[in-house]
């Protein structure tokens, strides 16, 4: 009985980790290219989740349709966010801190839009969206949304790596991640690269928003889950999306482990200690490149 | 106490915390998501000292400040040598940890039930005088050598180091001072509202303070104080348009950062000289002509 | 350009400030109030013409209209409004119309405290109708002690109505069974009727309602010889309970108790169902409406029981229920009924004060309420505990996503 529970907890941890990984990779796209923490990604997540919700309830679209709507909404919202919140600062070569401030402001703004449109309480996706809720293998179960998230994350990640390594846009984004100025000097249109990064980030955000919304119910504050992406991105290391994904999955596993041992209340304390120790021991993050704040 | 006095008092006390953020984020460019946690620490420790152990108010406040200094030093030591993003992350984690701890220690803190029955020791005099002292302190800090070092570090940390400034020590001191400001504000607030609960001290509160600082202008103390008074009063004044007012307020911040990144007040300060300049500009222009 | 942008910003801020000039009574809840008081006001005008116009009785209303507790809180406003319209149409209380001023607490304790100050000091309310939110009740209690205006509400945690020294908070009154009673009632049912011996509990340690229910439940279970085999917690923002539920399932309990709020209830039901948990899931009185279809998959609620203030299928409630549904386009929930009772008690107290309607008189009258015929039964307020002497609760179950009545129960056993 004990081992069955442990296996189930591992599955729980991986499921949670998959959710975090999808969010984290979308977050990390911007983190890598523009070097700041884009909290507005949470807003993108929220808007896409609600867009999917409308698709599911008003237009009665099936699961696939809902997901596509979410992805589209995410991409559009992300580009709008770039224009409204970050473009000006980037063009004025403003300091990093301004990006922080506008990104959290955008997060709040998008949250308020959701509150005004939908009211502050919460909604659930129709449970008829998924015909099967959970898959059972002997004593273990994995919920279908978790499985879906896991599979989608792997596929999305695979596509992302392909895009980044093999397509022109992807290579340009990687170049920009390395050095924005040098990239523009090479004749690459940096604006286009930035927008592409936001589109990709937005699509991932939309995907994670819809999937998370289905499994966790919707509320205007749904975007605040983005902090998990933030944690994973920083711990995973700058410059490595793989590191971020692994850090996110690890975070999910650690959270489940902590909840089942010391309870939900004290977990943040332990996570904090782990964070500090980790950063002292490996400041460049899990798989990242050493990067000191240049003045 | 009349309604307006109650609200003004709360605003004044919150402004002290905002001043802490002004020093940390405005003057020094350190983005901390855990300032509100220090406020929570100040509130709970002083409340517990007075209610559970019967200590007099000044002693309770001193103890809470002492504990805050120790914790801020610990957090600072671990994180101030590393990158901005890490600092934001660790202060975030710290904030979550503090809330988690406060919620968990039900026997001492009342946990989710909150800590109530706190006697009302914060008089309007105490609150307003504290705010005045805080403003004077920050003013003095900016004018001093220390304040100029802050500007240097914020503009170009590498150059500041080369110029001989002990960046790490400087950041530590600022971090501790701003934590103390937040803790003191927390204590005052606890003895005013007579009730505290862990949920009041989350990262969104810390973020709100940062936004207030940038609204008024990170380089203008006057701007921050006025911004704090205006923005903190808004929820009360606009009770019934809550979501819309927050929305407009976010739009205002975005407009300010995009169009006038130095904040509404830029570098303008309320001094005798600036006031006289305000009332005398036209004469000079005409004379030249 | 810079000057223009500063101008725009200043104008925006000014516009915000201008909108504040609207008086507080233009609050959003007023859309409901305005529509419904318009008609009675016209009718009442002819009656009032023959008497000298007496000043309105101002009752404050603190509810959560835009926060997470909106679903449970706004129904109190509805219930109160129905009663007010009825009374004002009949001429008011002793010839004086009732005027209800509502402020949104936004589930924020500080907002609630400020709003209470405003109601007492500016709007001159003689009594306040409070929310079904324990944290806010607890926070308001010492403030009410100071400002001396009674608050009648549905804040179920005993800490909101009873001081640490055992005396009641002078000005706080609860209009339904407290969390202590509810927890014990459902615990008694679980032990006696479901024959459960080992029970696992999942509660929100950041929420006083959840904590109070869990504590009461535990104490009765242990007193009756049962064991709590596992106790797990979660926090208010948690959405994933797989870890906790998996651990609880492994402890092999006969039932799981989860005193939760509307947001988590569908999630806990569905995640427990996913994990293959088939033992009875015992809930709190917040299960409707989110625990029912269509918010929750009916397949996940095939073996569940929860306590409820009233039996919603009782034919005696049908009339009021139909009127409520016609006005507000939603079925009433337990809080609608207990809210109506709480407000009714307040009104009865005000009426008993005759011509001298003061806060002190109302407080005295409320604490002496005896045999008030409410939806929840005959309510007698305990002067020492400021809550009704134990009212029986309806034990409900869910069949095909719809609520089904089982029987009435008390902590001592079934109602004979």
């Amino acid at each position: 009985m004990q081992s069955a529970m442990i296996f189930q907890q591992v599955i729980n941890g991986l499921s949670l980790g998959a959710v975090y990984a999808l969010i984290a990779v979308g977050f990390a796209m911007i983190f890598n290219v523009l070097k700041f923490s884009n909290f507005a990604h949470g807003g993108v997540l929220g808007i896409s989740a609600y867009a999917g919700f409308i698709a599911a309830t008003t237009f009665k679209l099936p699961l696939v349709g809902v997901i596509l709507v979410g992805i589209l909404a995410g991409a559009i919202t992300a580009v709008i966010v770039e224009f409204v919140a970050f473009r000006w600062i980037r063009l004025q070569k403003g300091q990093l801190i301004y990006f922080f401030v506008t990104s959290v402001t955008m997060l709040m703004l998008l949250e308020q839009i959701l509150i005004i449109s939908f009211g502050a309480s919460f909604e659930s996706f129709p449970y008829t969206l998924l015909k099967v809720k959970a898959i059972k293998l002997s004593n273990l179960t994995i919920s279908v949304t978790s499985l879906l998230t896991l599979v989608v994350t792997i596929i999305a990640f695979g596509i992302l790596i392909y895009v980044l390594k093999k397509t022109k846009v992807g290579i340009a984004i990687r170049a920009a991640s390395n050095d924005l100025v040098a990239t523009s000097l090479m004749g690459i249109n940096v604006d286009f690269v930035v927008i592409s990064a936001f589109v990709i980030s937005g699509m991932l955000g939309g995907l994670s928003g819809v999937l998370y919304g289905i499994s966790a119910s919707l509320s205007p504050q749904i975007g605040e889950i983005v902090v998990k992406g933030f944690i994973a991105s920083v711990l995973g290391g700058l410059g490595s999306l793989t590191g971020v994904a692994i850090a996110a999955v690890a975070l999910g596993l650690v959270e489940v482990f902590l909840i089942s041992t010391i309870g939900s209340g004290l977990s943040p304390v332990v996570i904090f200690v782990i964070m500090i120790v980790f950063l002292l021991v490996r400041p460049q993050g899990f798989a990242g490149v050493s990067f000191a704040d240049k003045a | 106490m009349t309604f307006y006095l109650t609200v003004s008092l709360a605003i004044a006390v919150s402004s002290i915390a905002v001043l802490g953020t002004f020093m940390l984020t405005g003057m020094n460019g350190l983005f901390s998501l855990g300032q509100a946690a220090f406020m929570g620490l100040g509130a709970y420790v002083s409340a517990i000292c007075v209610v559970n152990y019967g200590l007099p108010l000044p002693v309770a406040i001193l103890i809470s400040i002492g504990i805050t200094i120790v914790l801020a030093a610990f957090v600072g030591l671990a994180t101030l040598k590393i990158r901005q993003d890490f600092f934001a992350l660790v202060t975030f984690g710290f904030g979550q940890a503090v809330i988690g701890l406060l919620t968990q220690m039900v026997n001492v803190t009342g946990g989710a039930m909150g800590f109530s029955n706190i006697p009302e020791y914060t008089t309007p005099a105490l609150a307003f005088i504290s705010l005045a002292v805080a403003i004077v302190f920050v003013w003095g800090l900016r004018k001093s050598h220390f304040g100029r070092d802050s500007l240097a570090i914020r503009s170009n940390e590498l150059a500041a180091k080369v110029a001989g400034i002990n960046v790490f020590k400087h950041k530590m001191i600022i971090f501790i001072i701003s934590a103390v400001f937040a803790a003191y504000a927390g204590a005052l607030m606890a003895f005013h509202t007579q009730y505290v609960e862990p949920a009041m001290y989350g990262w969104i509160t810390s973020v709100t303070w940062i936004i207030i600082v940038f609204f008024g202008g990170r380089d203008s103390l006057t701007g921050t104080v006025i911004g704090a008074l205006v923005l903190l009063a808004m929820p009360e004044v606009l009770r019934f348009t809550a979501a819309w007012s927050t929305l407009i307020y976010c739009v205002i911040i975005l407009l300010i950062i995009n169009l006038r990144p130095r904040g509404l007040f830029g570098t303008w300060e309320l001094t005798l000289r600036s006031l006289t300049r305000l009332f005398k500009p036209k004469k000079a222009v005409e004379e030249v002509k | 350009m810079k000057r223009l942008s500063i101008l725009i910003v200043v104008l925006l801020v000014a516009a915000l400030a201008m909108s504040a000039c609207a008086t507080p009574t233009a609050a959003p809840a007023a859309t409901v109030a305005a529509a419904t008081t318009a008609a009675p006001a016209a009718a009442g005008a002819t009656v009032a013409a023959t008497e000298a116009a007496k000043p309105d009785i101002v009752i404050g209303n603190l509810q959560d209209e835009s926060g997470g507790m909106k679903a449970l809180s706004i129904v109190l406003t509805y219930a109160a409004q129905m009663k007010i319209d009825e009374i004002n149409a009949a001429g008011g209380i002793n010839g004086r119309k009732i005027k209800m001023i509502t402020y949104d607490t936004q589930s924020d304790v500080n907002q609630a405290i400020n709003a209470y100050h405003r109601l007492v000091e500016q709007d001159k309310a003689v009594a306040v109708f409070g929310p079904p939110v324990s944290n806010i009740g607890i926070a308001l209690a010492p403030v009410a002690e100071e400002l001396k205006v009674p608050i009648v509400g549905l804040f179920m945690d005993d800490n909101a109505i009873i001081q640490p020294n055992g005396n009641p908070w002078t000005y706080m009154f609860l209009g339904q069974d407290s969390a202590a009673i509810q927890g014990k009632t459902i615990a008694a049912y679980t032990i006696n009727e479901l024959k459960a011996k080992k029970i696992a509990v999942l509660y929100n340690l950041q929420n006083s309602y959840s904590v109070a229910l869990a504590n009461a439940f535990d104490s009765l279970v242990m007193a009756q010889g049962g064991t709590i085999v596992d106790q797990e917690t979660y926090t208010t923002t948690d959405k994933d309970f797989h870890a906790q539920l998996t651990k609880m399932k492994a402890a092999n309990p006969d039932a799981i108790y989860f005193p939760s709020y509307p947001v988590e209830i569908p999630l806990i039901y569905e995640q427990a169902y996913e994990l293959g948990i088939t033992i009875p899931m015992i809930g709190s009185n917040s299960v409707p409406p989110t625990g029912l279809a269509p918010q929750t998959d009916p397949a996940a609620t095939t073996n569940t029981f929860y306590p409820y203030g009233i039996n919603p299928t009782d034919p005696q409630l049908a009339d009021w229920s139909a009127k409520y549904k016609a006005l507000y386009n939603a079925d009433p929930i337990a809080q609608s009924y207990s809210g109506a009772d709480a407000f009714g008690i307040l009104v009865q107290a005000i009426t008993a004060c005759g011509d001298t309607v003061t806060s002190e008189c109302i407080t005295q009258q409320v604490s002496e309420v005896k045999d008030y015929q409410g939806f929840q039964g005959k309510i007698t307020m305990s002067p020492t505990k400021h809550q009704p002497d134990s009212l029986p609760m309806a034990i409900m179950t869910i069949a095909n996503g719809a609520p089904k009545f089982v029987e009435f129960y008390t902590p001592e056993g079934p109602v004979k």
Side-chain angles (χ1 to χ4, degrees):
Chain A
M1 195 59 185
Q2 265 308 94
S3 59
M5 180 184 91
I6 296 184
F7 274 128
Q8 182 65 57
Q9 295 289 36
V10 168
I11 292 183
N12 294 339
L14 289 174
S15 306
L16 197 57
V19 173
Y20 291 165
L22 198 55
I23 298 173
V25 171
F27 185 88
M29 285 288 316
I30 307 303
F31 193 61
N32 284 357
V33 176
L34 288 176
K35 310 278 182 282
F36 75 94
S37 298
N38 178 20
F39 290 102
H41 191 71
V44 169
L45 210 145
I47 300 265
S48 319
Y50 273 87
F53 174 71
I54 295 182
T57 48
T58 317
F59 297 103
K60 307 255 190 295
L61 292 179
L63 186 63
V64 175
V66 168
I67 291 182
L68 287 174
V69 167
I71 294 180
L72 189 63
I76 296 176
T77 313
V79 172
I80 295 178
V81 167
E82 199 271 326
F83 265 99
V84 171
F86 306 130
R87 168 150 292 219
W88 223 307
I89 305 176
R90 180 166 56 84
L91 294 176
Q92 312 267 13
K93 311 242 186 294
Q95 293 179 332
L96 269 178
I97 193 147
Y98 288 121
F99 286 111
F100 272 127
V101 176
T102 49
S103 75
V104 286
T105 307
M106 271 316 283
L107 174 65
M108 274 197 199
L109 193 145
L110 291 170
E111 230 178 69
Q112 294 310 306
I113 292 181
L114 288 174
I115 292 180
I116 291 177
S117 318
F118 294 94
S121 64
F122 70 106
E123 318 279 349
S124 311
F125 271 88
Y127 59 84
T128 48
L129 217 47
L130 291 167
K131 293 287 172 284
V132 183
K133 283 300 147 65
I135 300 182
K136 292 192 183 15
L137 301 150
S138 75
N139 242 338
L140 306 172
T141 50
I142 176 168
S143 75
V144 169
T145 35
S146 300
L147 198 57
L148 197 58
T149 309
L150 201 59
V151 168
V152 164
T153 305
I154 295 176
I155 295 179
F157 200 65
I159 296 180
L160 188 63
I161 300 287
Y162 176 79
V163 165
L164 287 176
K165 288 221 153 70
K166 303 278 192 207
T167 65
K168 262 198 186 164
V169 173
I171 296 177
I173 291 180
R174 278 168 55 216
S177 303
N178 238 328
D179 194 327
L180 205 58
V181 178
T183 312
S184 71
L185 288 175
M186 290 283 159
I188 296 177
N189 184 347
V190 167
D191 280 347
F192 175 70
V193 169
V194 169
I195 294 193
S196 311
F198 269 92
V199 167
I200 296 179
S201 160
M203 283 169 41
L204 288 168
L207 193 54
S208 45
V210 169
L211 288 174
Y212 187 60
I214 293 179
S215 70
S217 82
L218 292 170
S219 73
Q221 290 82 18
I222 193 178
E224 287 172 25
I225 191 86
V226 76
V227 287
K228 307 285 184 192
F230 170 51
I231 296 174
S233 293
V234 176
L235 291 179
L238 188 69
S240 166
L241 289 175
T242 322
V244 167
I246 296 180
V249 173
L251 183 63
L253 283 166
V254 167
E255 277 188 8
V256 167
F257 173 71
L258 287 176
I259 290 178
S260 49
T261 43
I262 58 168
S264 179
L266 283 175
S267 324
V269 182
V270 175
I271 290 188
F272 171 63
V273 172
I274 293 179
M275 241 192 247
I276 293 213
V277 168
F278 192 84
L279 291 177
L280 283 174
V281 164
R282 202 181 162 82
Q284 68 268 41
F286 198 67
V289 175
S290 227
F291 178 96
D293 265 330
K294 282 225 206 83
Chain B
M1 215 186 297
T2 72
F3 174 66
Y4 285 116
L5 198 55
T6 307
V7 173
S8 310
L9 204 155
I11 293 177
V13 171
S14 293
S15 302
I16 298 179
V18 173
L19 282 174
T21 304
F22 174 75
M23 287 187 287
L24 186 66
T25 310
M27 283 169 66
N28 282 275
L30 289 166
F31 193 83
S32 164
L33 292 173
Q35 282 300 93
F38 287 119
M39 190 188 208
L41 273 174
Y44 267 93
V45 173
S46 51
I48 291 175
C49 284
V50 168
V51 175
N52 289 1
Y53 297 107
L55 297 173
L57 183 68
V59 175
I61 292 188
L62 279 173
I63 293 182
S64 69
I65 289 184
I67 294 187
T68 304
I69 293 180
V70 168
L71 278 171
F74 168 66
V75 175
L77 261 170
T79 65
L80 283 170
K81 288 202 195 247
I82 54 183
R83 292 179 40 205
Q84 261 288 43
D85 299 297
F86 287 3
F87 183 70
L89 177 65
V90 174
T91 48
F92 170 78
F94 174 70
Q96 297 291 95
V98 167
I99 294 184
L101 212 56
L102 288 174
T103 313
Q104 188 77 1
M105 295 167 61
V106 187
N107 294 331
V108 181
T109 65
M113 259 70 86
F115 197 83
S116 55
N117 282 321
I118 307 176
E120 192 174 4
Y121 285 155
T122 307
T123 59
L126 182 59
F128 293 121
I129 293 180
S130 299
L131 179 62
V133 169
I135 293 179
V136 168
F137 179 89
V138 178
W139 184 262
L141 192 72
R142 290 184 77 215
K143 284 205 136 38
S144 74
H145 190 67
F146 201 76
R148 287 191 299 249
D149 282 356
S150 294
L151 199 54
I153 295 176
R154 198 185 85 188
S155 313
N156 192 327
E157 193 169 312
L158 208 53
K161 257 191 223 170
V162 167
I165 299 176
N166 185 344
V167 171
F168 178 66
K169 186 169 124 190
H170 180 98
K171 284 184 176 177
M172 273 293 272
I173 296 179
I174 275 289
F175 187 56
I176 294 180
I177 294 182
S178 55
V180 168
F181 265 60
Y184 181 63
L188 283 184
M189 194 62 108
F191 290 98
H192 166 67
T193 56
Q194 300 177 269
Y195 173 85
V196 287
E197 58 179 9
M200 293 172 170
Y201 306 109
W203 61 281
I204 299 267
T205 309
S206 306
V207 164
T208 310
W209 294 341
I210 295 180
I211 291 184
I212 293 179
V213 168
F214 276 82
F215 174 80
R218 63 191 303 211
D219 287 316
S220 163
L221 177 58
T222 323
T224 299
V225 173
I226 295 184
L229 296 177
V230 168
L231 293 178
L232 289 171
M234 281 226 267
E236 198 40 57
V237 154
L238 303 166
R239 319 202 92 248
F240 38 86
T241 51
W244 276 107
S245 66
T246 315
L247 184 77
I248 295 180
Y249 154 69
C250 287
V251 170
I252 292 178
I253 301 290
L254 284 172
L255 278 172
I256 289 182
I257 301 253
N258 277 331
L259 301 174
R260 195 172 161 77
R262 309 209 119 228
L264 264 186
F265 287 81
T267 44
W268 190 81
E269 292 286 3
L270 190 74
T271 58
L272 219 48
R273 208 184 306 164
S274 64
L275 273 176
T276 48
R277 224 183 290 157
L278 210 58
F279 292 113
K280 275 193 192 175
K282 302 213 171 107
K283 264 199 197 163
V285 175
E286 281 170 32
E287 275 172 26
V288 169
K289 281 215 179 112
Chain C
M1 179 60 188
K2 278 246 167 91
R3 283 257 182 89
L4 184 62
S5 52
I6 301 175
L7 192 60
I8 294 177
V9 173
V10 170
L11 277 176
L12 267 174
V13 176
L16 265 180
M18 290 294 220
S19 62
C21 284
T23 52
T25 43
T31 46
V32 167
T36 46
T37 47
T46 43
V47 177
T50 52
E51 317 174 352
K54 287 195 194 165
D56 286 345
I57 299 178
V58 177
I59 301 183
N61 184 24
L62 291 174
Q63 302 298 342
D64 180 2
E65 298 177 327
S66 60
M69 287 301 290
K70 177 176 163 183
L72 298 181
S73 197
I74 202 163
V75 299
L76 269 71
T77 307
Y78 293 163
Q81 196 55 56
M82 275 176 74
K83 191 103 190 156
I84 291 179
D85 295 340
E86 218 180 276
I87 294 177
N88 281 352
I93 301 180
N94 296 329
R96 296 171 65 179
K97 295 262 172 15
I98 302 180
K99 181 163 127 164
M100 180 164 79
I101 299 182
T102 305
Y103 286 129
D104 182 4
T105 62
Q106 301 174 14
S107 276
D108 184 319
V109 169
N110 284 321
Q111 297 274 36
I113 294 179
N114 282 345
Y116 178 65
H117 271 274
R118 204 179 204 167
L119 283 169
V120 172
E121 290 154 5
Q122 293 209 296
D123 302 315
K124 307 278 184 254
V126 287
V128 172
F129 188 44
V133 183
S134 292
N135 281 56
I136 291 184
I138 296 176
L140 283 175
V143 186
E145 198 75 9
E146 190 199 334
L147 294 179
K148 306 197 189 317
V149 170
I151 308 180
V152 179
L154 299 183
F155 20 78
M156 291 170 61
D157 189 338
D158 276 333
N159 289 313
I161 35 186
I162 302 184
Q163 302 184 44
N165 61 14
N167 294 334
W169 284 109
T170 322
Y171 299 94
M172 304 292 289
F173 297 93
L174 174 62
Q176 64 178 28
D177 281 328
S178 66
I181 307 274
Q182 186 193 128
K184 294 207 170 103
T185 305
I186 195 65
Y189 184 80
T190 309
I191 296 259
N192 299 332
E193 309 302 323
L194 299 177
K195 309 283 185 240
K197 290 258 182 310
K198 302 179 294 174
I199 310 178
V201 179
L202 175 66
Y203 69 98
N204 179 353
L205 70 104
Q206 284 181 343
N207 179 280
S208 50
Y209 162 85
S210 193
V211 172
L213 282 171
N215 286 339
F217 185 88
D218 287 355
S219 68
L220 191 133
V221 164
M222 297 199 285
Q224 304 240 357
T227 27
I228 306 290
V229 291
D230 189 26
Q231 186 131 295
E232 295 297 322
T233 61
Y234 61 92
T235 58
T236 305
T237 46
D238 282 349
K239 302 274 191 266
D240 188 281
F241 309 97
H242 286 98
Q244 292 94 331
L245 288 167
T246 304
K247 190 164 167 221
M248 289 162 75
K249 182 181 172 199
N252 225 353
D254 300 320
I256 289 181
Y257 181 51
F258 65 108
S260 305
Y261 262 163
V263 184
E264 313 86 81
I265 287 174
L267 297 173
I268 294 179
Y269 272 129
E270 288 174 357
Q271 290 173 16
Y273 176 63
E274 279 171 23
L275 287 170
I277 292 176
T278 50
I279 49 174
M281 299 286 290
I282 315 289
S284 63
N285 69 330
S286 299
V287 164
T290 58
L292 310 168
Q295 303 255 38
T296 305
D297 188 353
T301 50
T302 50
N303 192 1
T304 177
F305 298 91
Y306 59 92
Y308 214 49
I310 44 99
N311 170 8
T313 56
D314 183 345
Q316 289 190 359
L317 304 175
D319 276 346
W320 192 84
S321 173
K323 235 176 26 169
Y324 180 101
K325 185 155 185 172
L327 277 171
Y328 303 113
N329 211 6
D331 283 318
I333 53 177
Q335 285 79 0
S336 316
Y337 294 104
S338 43
D341 284 351
F343 196 74
I345 290 177
L346 186 54
V347 164
Q348 176 170 296
I350 297 178
T351 315
C353 283
D355 282 329
T356 49
V357 177
T358 61
S359 295
E360 284 304 326
C361 170
I362 298 176
T363 308
Q364 186 63 30
Q365 290 296 332
V366 173
S367 61
E368 292 172 357
V369 161
K370 224 178 168 59
D371 287 338
Y372 172 84
Q373 185 61 41
F375 293 118
Q376 298 171 90
K378 271 206 174 27
I379 303 179
T380 297
M381 190 66 72
S382 153
T384 49
K385 293 207 257 162
H386 281 205
Q387 55 187 280
D389 288 333
S390 167
L391 297 162
M393 297 197 81
I395 306 292
M396 309 286 296
T397 184
I398 299 180
N400 292 326
K404 193 168 133 185
F405 174 69
V406 178
E407 58 176 318
F408 279 110
Y409 225 78
T410 69
E412 285 75 42
V415 171
K416 301 287 176 275

